Amino acid sequence: MIRVASYNMRKAIGTDRRRRPERTLDVLNELDADVIALQEADRRFGSRASALPPHLIEEHSDYKPVALDARAGGIGWHGNALLVRKNVAVRERHLFHLPSLEPRGAVLADVEVDGTTLRIVGMHLDLSGLWRRRQAHAILAHLAEQDEHPPTVLMGDLNEWSTSGGCLRDFAAHHVFASCGRSFHARRPIAQLDRIMVSPDLEVVASGAHASATARRASDHLPIWADLRANGERRVLPPPEPRERLTQRLRTSLKTRLGR
C-alpha cells in the first residue's frame, strides 16, 4: 500500500496567525505518507525561502524534499513542493509553467515506492474558473506528451468550489477522484478545494481529510490523503483536446454565462 497526501500549508501560518513551521512538520509526520504534495510551501516575498527550513525537515522527519533547483533556499516552485520518504528513490523531476495572469506552475516527479513507480504532479490552480480550466488542460497536455506513462497521481489545491463542474470535469475525463471530503476551512470544513486524482491503473483503497487538533490549527486547509495500490489495468492516456478548440469552447462558455 502506498499513501499519498496533499497539503496547502499556508506558509506555515496557522489559524492563530502565527508562523510555526515546527507545527506544520508535526502535521506532516501525523500523515505518515510516502509522498506529499505541498502548496504555499515557500514565503511569498523576499528570497522566497522555504517556509519549512530544510534542516527541520532533515532532523525532525523521515522526509526529504524533491530537489527542483528552482530557487536558492526554497524547496518549491511557485509555492509547489514535493516531499518523499528518505528511502524513496526519485527517478525524474521537473517543473513546468501554467497559463495564468500571475506566475503559476506545477511540479512533476517520478518516484519509486516499494518497487512501484509513480508519476506525481503537484499543483495550485488559479482563483479564476476560466484560468483553472486552461491550467487543467495544460497539465493534461503535458502528461500526454511524455514518452512513458506510469501510474499517475495528481494532487493539490484546485480552488474549485464546484462539486463536479469546471476543471473537475476536465480532470475526470482522464483520472479518478479520491473521496477525501471537505478540507477548507480547517476550523469548519465546507468545501473540497483540495483534491487527489489518480490514473485508472491505480485503485483508491481509502482516503480522507486529516482533521487532528494540530491540523485544525496549523493552516486554513486540512491535509488530505489517499491509500493506493496498483490494479494492473493497462492505461492509455487519451490525447489532450487541441488547445485552440479548448480556448474557443472556454470563450463560448464564458460568453454564455455573461449573457452575451
Side-chain angles (χ1 to χ4, degrees), residues 55-219:
H55 73 88
L56 281 183
I57 301 175
E58 169 65 26
E59 297 168 7
H60 299 285
S61 81
D62 189 36
Y63 294 112
K64 62 182 179 182
V66 172
L68 298 170
D69 300 325
R71 187 185 299 273
I75 64 171
W77 189 61
H78 295 313
N80 294 292
L82 297 173
L83 298 181
V84 297
R85 290 193 189 276
K86 291 176 180 175
N87 64 352
V88 169
V90 179
R91 303 302 185 194
E92 173 64 34
R93 64 187 186 276
H94 67 262
L95 41 82
F96 54 100
H97 291 278
L98 296 180
S100 181
L101 293 177
E102 62 178 6
R104 282 193 184 263
V107 294
L108 180 151
D110 288 354
V111 302
E112 185 176 332
V113 184
D114 294 334
T116 299
T117 297
L118 294 178
R119 176 159 290 162
I120 307 293
V121 178
M123 68 190 79
H124 190 180
L125 301 190
D126 205 279
L127 295 173
S128 161
L130 181 63
W131 284 107
R132 280 197 300 272
R133 296 203 62 191
R134 290 175 175 171
Q135 290 162 359
H137 180 264
I139 291 168
L140 294 171
H142 185 80
L143 291 174
E145 291 165 358
Q146 303 304 302
D147 294 332
E148 298 179 354
H149 301 289
T152 302
V153 181
L154 286 72
M155 301 187 283
D157 180 356
L158 271 55
N159 268 319
E160 180 62 71
W161 287 78
S162 168
T163 57
S164 60
C167 69
L168 302 183
R169 186 183 300 113
D170 300 311
F171 284 121
H174 305 263
H175 298 83
V176 177
F177 284 80
S179 300
C180 297
R182 299 170 180 174
S183 57
F184 181 84
H185 186 279
R187 285 184 172 176
R188 188 177 181 182
I190 61 172
Q192 300 182 58
L193 300 187
D194 304 279
R195 300 278 185 164
I196 295 175
M197 305 163 280
V198 302
S199 56
D201 45 10
L202 288 172
E203 177 186 357
V204 179
V205 179
S207 59
H210 181 70
S212 70
T214 304
R216 289 184 180 276
R217 294 192 302 270
S219 170

Side-chain angles (χ1 to χ4, degrees), residues 246-259:
L246 177 71
T247 300
Q248 182 59 44
R249 183 157 58 83
L250 292 177
R251 287 174 178 170
T252 301
S253 176
L254 181 60
K255 289 180 180 178
T256 300
R257 292 199 301 269
L258 294 177

